[in-house]
Amino acid sequence: MTTATQEKPSAASSTHAPLSPAGAARPPAAKGKLILAGFDLGTNKSCLLAGAPGSTDIAVSKVIPTVVGYVKDGIVDGIVAGNATILYGDDALRHALHVNLVAPLAEGVIAQPEAARDFLRHIRTLADPSGQAEIRAVIGVPANAGETAREEIRRCSQGVFSRVLLIPEPFLAALGYRDDSRLNQPEYVDPVTHSLFIDIGGGTSDLCLVQGYFPTPADQISIPFAGDAIDQIMQNELERIYPQNGFSRQTVRELKEEHAYVGPSRKPMDVKVIIGGKSRTLELGDLIGNAANTLLDKIYPALTSLIERASSDSVLALLQNIIVTGGGSQIKGIDTVLQRRLADDGYESPKVKLAGQDFKRYVALGALKAARGARENQWQVLLG
Amino acid sequence: MLQSDFNAAAAAVRESAGGLPEAESLIQTIRQAEERRADDALELAELLAPLLARRLQRGGIEPPPRRLPTSAPPAAARPPRPAAPRGIADFIDEMIAQDHPV
């Protein structure tokens, strides 16, 4: 491997290429400007927040679809702005007909390393258009991400970031969700001290107990079932009921984002779609509800399992502070249905809340806070 | 060391040395050195005792720390709950410790 932890080399790390001794690596542009980045590398959407050290200002704030588009051969000049050969995020999606779309991640981990490397290079240009600054990034990883997945992120970050720290996403979400200005208020329940985070992304649903210390592996559960899996179920059902419908995955995703709900059937749910160029109205109440309820059925046992593992000192407080974030928090009724199930099962006064409108940014915000709070010797140096 | 213990030890040394004069000389040297140490300790105690008494009267000395019970509970699997809010770097330290267990 090509990283060095300044703190201490590990036995696990020694299975890769030798580590550099502390301080031996010279990050690019070490003498120039330093930018700290909080980066949520998501399966479908990524979020970058960046700013200077020693400040609370956020100079760069971007949410970018995690997709790379490689422009197809033979595209007429001028169709793609600047005749670019690679497009990223929304630009790539807008030119879906002219590019080969590649998703760098699947189920929360890097599946296409070359595309991931290209995507991270693009992220770098967003954080530092001048290309001259040294960038250190705290990158969110799924709870319980294995060393192989982490190593792949480090490898793809070489030459992009000078130093990195990989931290589980649910903990970063708690850190990002924390309102630092209210920490002195006695009635404020600090999510970093007492909370249970449910982060439903595209590839994974991550649940994490946050009890005032860094979560151990036993405090976290990652389920490889999230938004993408709902899309797949919906697409399969649509194909079964309306063969040859021609819906792309993106169209199915948009249907989900607009209409998904959990709980009892909301039939009839008439949804306008275009099939073969003609407008049609389909009744999708059960189809969408069944797909989303499948997610709920996966999450609920993990949720109760974590509650049972919680310390008796904090379990009552964290039952008041169960927070759903990530794209899945936009599924209608997910908070109330989870809360009702917990109450029906006898849990003491549970309160399930939605993270709110900023759900796409909490992991990155926590990551940026971590970047600003990290000590010099805690960063992992990426050897170029 | 008690006088009787010392006499017993000296007798054992004399017996094992077979009455050699070097052994007797060594015993005498040790005895004199120990007597000097005991005299010094007594003098120090005489000097310190009044000071200690005055401080105790003013209440300026804290009681000695209580010893932990010998049957202390085993270390918990989870990190102890911190008494005060902790910095982000402390959490990162815990994360690094988990990644690189000693």
Side-chain angles (χ1 to χ4, degrees), chain A residues 2-78:
Chain A
T2 49
T3 65
T5 304
Q6 287 198 317
E7 187 96 329
K8 51 186 171 182
S10 72
S13 301
S14 66
T15 57
H16 306 280
L19 297 176
S20 157
R26 189 180 62 79
K31 290 178 184 172
K33 185 176 160 190
L34 174 63
I35 295 174
L36 298 178
F39 186 44
D40 176 7
L41 178 58
T43 304
N44 292 327
K45 283 198 176 75
S46 294
C47 180
L48 169 73
L49 300 178
S55 148
T56 54
D57 293 344
I58 296 173
V60 177
S61 172
K62 305 267 186 194
V63 176
I64 316 112
T66 314
V67 64
V68 181
Y70 296 94
V71 177
K72 293 173 182 170
D73 291 337
I75 298 297
V76 177
D77 279 3

Side-chain angles (χ1 to χ4, degrees), chain A residues 10 166-167 192 212-217 219 309 313 369-370 373 375 378, chain B residues 78-79 81-82 86 88-96 98-100 102:
Chain A
S10 72
L166 308 184
I167 299 182
V192 175
Y213 57 86
F214 192 83
T216 66
D219 295 324
R309 292 180 206 174
D313 293 338
K369 286 182 186 179
R375 282 193 291 270
Q378 292 177 324
Chain B
R78 297 174 186 284
R81 280 187 67 189
R86 315 175 58 210
I88 288 170
D90 297 323
F91 290 115
I92 297 173
D93 271 343
E94 287 177 2
M95 182 188 77
I96 291 170
Q98 283 182 27
D99 286 347
H100 308 288
V102 178

Side-chain angles (χ1 to χ4, degrees), chain A residues 310-325:
Chain A
S311 157
S312 58
D313 293 338
S314 71
V315 69
L316 288 178
L318 75 82
L319 277 169
Q320 301 282 306
N321 221 18
I322 298 171
I323 297 152
V324 187
T325 187

